[in-house]
Amino acid sequence: MPATLEVRCTSDDCEMDMFELHYTYDMPDDVGVADFQCPYCGGTECLEELSP
């Protein structure tokens, strides 16, 4: 199964609670939450990985 990364946005101005990123098998191993932005507010520094 491809990896799944659960992320939450910590921005007080954002309505996004939590979202999941579903990787393909071709995703590099070193990709992490810092490589993405919130799909709702567009923030990058406000994202936090949720513990598995």
Side-chain angles (χ1 to χ4, degrees), residues 9-52:
C9 184
T10 61
S11 173
D12 292 335
D13 298 327
C14 185
E15 297 296 322
M16 179 65 72
D17 178 27
M18 173 264 212
F19 58 97
E20 294 180 340
L21 300 166
H22 297 268
Y23 296 170
T24 67
Y25 289 103
D26 297 332
M27 186 69 71
D29 291 335
D30 63 344
V31 170
V33 71
D35 297 303
F36 298 96
Q37 69 182 42
C38 177
Y40 187 83
C41 72
T44 55
E45 299 296 320
C46 53
L47 295 182
E48 178 179 272
E49 182 178 355
L50 296 173
S51 299

